[in-house]
Every structure is written in structure tokens, then in C-alpha cells.
Amino acid sequence: MKTLKLGQLVDGTIRGIKPYGVLVDIGGYYALFHINPISQLAINHREEVFQVDDWIRAMIVWIDVEKGRVSLSTSDLETEPGDMLRDPLGVYEKAEEMADEYYQKVLSKQEAE
């Protein structure tokens, strides 16, 4: 858990689909993937995008090391709203570039504060 950081890309496997989001195994840790950060467009049902045992690439957007909690996002990896609904593999292919942009925005915000 201590090796994980904000803005880091992680690969994982969908282990459960719940009303509030998706549970993802990221190397032995379970991360929560709320429904809202799946796409910039609204999603009514997680099953529209994911199935149990699917592979996923997502970005860490929140960590609580003490409580062992991690939250993930793919919406921040989309170049256009709805890309996760139309072409998730395309989003995964551009994930590193988009994660770098996200991380730079986070750094800029922190420096401004």
C-alpha cells in the first residue's frame, strides 16, 4: 500500500460489481471504483462498461494509507467525454499520457495553494 501514489496508473481485475461502484484487485489490494469517475458521461449501470474478471487500467485519485483505502478513476483518462463507453481499450492505450497531464494539474493546484 505504501508504494501506491496519487496519479499512479494501476492495472487490476474487476472482482465485484456493487450498486455504488466496482471493486478492483490491484495486486492484492482492493480498490473502490465509484460509478461517477468511470466516464465523464453519466453511466446508469456499471455492467454497461465492466464485467467481473475484466482487466482494467485506472488511475489512483485518492488514497488513505492508514485505512487501506484506494479510489480509482478512468474518467480523468478520457480525451473526450464518453471514451470509456465507446472504446475502453483506446483509453487504456493513452492512459500514461493522460495520467501525466492529470498529475501536472494536481501539482499546479498544490503549488497555487
Side-chain angles (χ1 to χ4, degrees):
M1 178 69 77
K2 292 181 181 181
T3 61
L4 301 176
K5 64 180 183 179
L6 189 65
Q8 178 181 348
L9 282 179
V10 292
D11 291 339
T13 305
I14 305 294
R15 292 298 182 209
I17 299 175
K18 306 292 182 190
Y20 49 84
V22 177
L23 297 174
V24 181
D25 179 348
I26 55 170
Y29 300 108
Y30 276 85
L32 179 60
F33 193 7
H34 286 282
I35 191 169
N36 292 337
I38 291 173
S39 176
Q40 295 173 33
L41 292 181
I43 295 174
N44 296 321
H45 304 285
R46 285 113 351 255
E47 296 87 356
E48 293 174 31
V49 183
F50 302 116
Q51 300 297 317
V52 172
D53 294 328
D54 280 356
W55 169 76
I56 184 173
R57 174 168 283 168
M59 184 172 50
I60 297 173
V61 293
W62 182 80
I63 301 174
D64 184 334
V65 175
E66 290 178 16
K67 293 183 180 179
R69 295 183 180 169
V70 177
S71 291
L72 303 175
S73 171
T74 52
S75 67
D76 293 305
L77 302 176
E78 292 180 318
T79 54
E80 296 292 327
D83 282 349
M84 273 303 293
L85 305 174
R86 292 184 295 273
D87 183 19
L89 292 179
V91 172
Y92 300 157
E93 287 174 6
K94 295 179 183 177
E96 289 185 33
E97 176 185 336
M98 297 304 292
D100 286 342
E101 287 181 25
Y102 174 86
Y103 190 67
Q104 292 305 318
K105 289 177 189 175
V106 169
L107 286 178
S108 295
K109 271 187 184 177
Q110 288 176 347
E111 289 173 2
E113 293 174 354

